Amino acid sequence: MPARHVLLAMAVAVMWGLNFIAIDASLQHFPPMFLVALRFALIAVPTMLLVKRPDVPWRWLIGYGLGFGTLQFLFLYWGMASGMPAGLASLVLQASGPFTMLLGATFLRERVTGPQLLGVLVAVGGLAVVGWQRAEHASVVPFLLTLAGALGWAIGNICNRQARAANPLHLTLWMSVVPPLPMLALAFVVEGPADIATSMTDFTDPGALGAVLGLLYTVVIGTILGSGLWTWLMSKHPAGVVAPFSMLVPVTGMTAAWLLLGETVTVPEMLGGVLVVGGVLLGSLIKRPKRLPDLVPAPVGARLRD
């Protein structure tokens, strides 16, 4: 990759790492489930008006939106609102890599090589260390919620892969159309209309301005600019060249959380983080495995889109 493209990839990693600081700020004012609905609604409305819907089957578009948009951010925001530190959240969410690999092997019949399996085991070992430390020093529930968010991301990855969109950025934008309604309904049931109305009308608390700025950051910088640049880089270079730069996200997130929020991690948590990043990196550097052939030829119509 040219040096300027390397710098762009690093810039995206920084944008996404700082995204966790912005989310933490937004959660100081907005209820978490309503915040997810609001975040994606701000993207969905202009997308439906200005961006052509990608020519992909609705089932994969909806699946991508439910996995990547709804489940990932439902559990991530819920976990952070319940006490998961922003820096550790940026690390635990990297479990989406091993989850994606395992789901691909299970549902898409992709071969998992020895080094890839080793990478999964190393990453899982790192997550176990982080989870054990969370259980020792704080509630383990926020950790498990964030881990569920990583599984949601992996489900979205599988649907994204099956969609095979000609323009991945359009698919990413249209994915945002899915989460607002289910998340708004869930927010009304769980958080209640009173808390939602207060978050939208009362901005007198000290964290309100930071919450609004954090929300704007996640929408404009974290989602539109960051995802746009990442999609452009992926279209210019092999995925194996670009993908490892995502490992800089937890490094940025944990460093920013330490500098801006005063968060600290224990030595075992740091060791677990190294194992998670190393395991995911090991898996991502291996060439994507081929799908196992069908034992019995499927009908032509059934094979058009797997």
Side-chain angles (χ1 to χ4, degrees):
M1 279 189 0
R4 64 181 182 277
H5 291 187
V6 172
L7 291 175
L8 282 176
M10 295 176 66
V12 173
V14 171
M15 292 178 199
W16 285 348
L18 293 176
N19 209 31
F20 291 86
I21 307 300
I23 293 171
D24 182 80
S26 298
L27 288 170
Q28 303 305 312
H29 179 77
F30 295 103
M33 296 178 190
F34 176 66
L35 181 59
V36 177
L38 188 60
R39 167 183 176 162
F40 284 104
L42 290 175
I43 304 173
V45 172
T47 292
M48 289 188 292
L49 294 175
L50 302 174
V51 179
K52 182 181 178 181
R53 187 181 78 82
D55 185 20
V56 301
W58 275 105
R59 64 183 181 277
W60 299 126
L61 174 58
I62 294 173
Y64 184 31
L66 289 177
F68 183 86
T70 307
L71 294 179
Q72 177 187 187
F73 291 102
L74 162 63
F75 288 114
L76 173 62
Y77 282 33
W78 189 3
M80 291 181 65
S82 300
M84 186 66 176
L88 277 180
S90 70
L91 170 66
V92 174
L93 211 61
Q94 297 303 311
S96 63
F99 279 145
T100 301
M101 192 181 305
L102 294 175
L103 290 177
T106 302
F107 296 104
L108 304 184
R109 291 174 296 164
E110 292 180 341
R111 288 190 180 95
V112 177
T113 65
Q116 286 177 315
L117 182 59
L118 177 61
V120 169
L121 295 176
V122 170
V124 169
L127 288 169
V129 172
V130 175
W132 166 66
Q133 282 293 290
R134 287 285 92 195
E136 287 284 317
H137 300 286
S139 171
V140 73
V141 172
F143 168 80
L144 295 176
L145 289 172
T146 308
L147 197 60
L151 178 59
W153 186 355
I155 293 171
N157 285 341
I158 296 300
C159 294
N160 186 359
R161 186 178 301 173
Q162 291 297 91
R164 297 185 178 92
N167 190 324
L169 180 57
H170 284 193
L171 178 62
T172 300
L173 291 174
W174 266 89
M175 171 275 302
S176 66
V177 175
V178 178
L181 290 181
M183 286 308 308
L184 187 60
L186 190 60
F188 268 97
V189 172
V190 177
E191 296 164 342
D195 286 350
I196 293 174
T198 299
S199 69
M200 292 298 290
T201 57
D202 185 3
F203 292 92
T204 58
D205 62 274
L209 178 59
V212 173
L213 293 177
L215 175 60
L216 292 177
Y217 181 96
T218 60
V219 171
V220 178
I221 306 298
T223 303
I224 298 176
L225 181 59
S227 297
L229 287 173
W230 189 260
T231 301
W232 182 79
L233 287 169
M234 292 286 277
S235 70
K236 297 292 184 181
H237 305 283
V241 174
V242 180
F245 283 93
S246 67
M247 293 299 97
L248 295 175
V249 173
V251 175
T252 302
M254 297 181 78
T255 302
W258 171 57
L259 292 173
L260 301 176
L261 304 179
E263 292 182 3
T264 58
V265 296
T266 65
V267 173
E269 285 174 341
M270 185 66 71
L271 174 61
V274 172
L275 291 174
V276 171
V277 172
V280 175
L281 185 60
L282 177 61
S284 69
L285 289 178
I286 306 300
K287 186 177 180 180
R288 181 188 294 182
K290 296 181 179 179
R291 178 180 301 181
L292 291 173
D294 291 328
L295 295 179
V296 179
V300 174
R303 297 177 61 88
L304 291 179
R305 281 200 177 271
D306 295 324

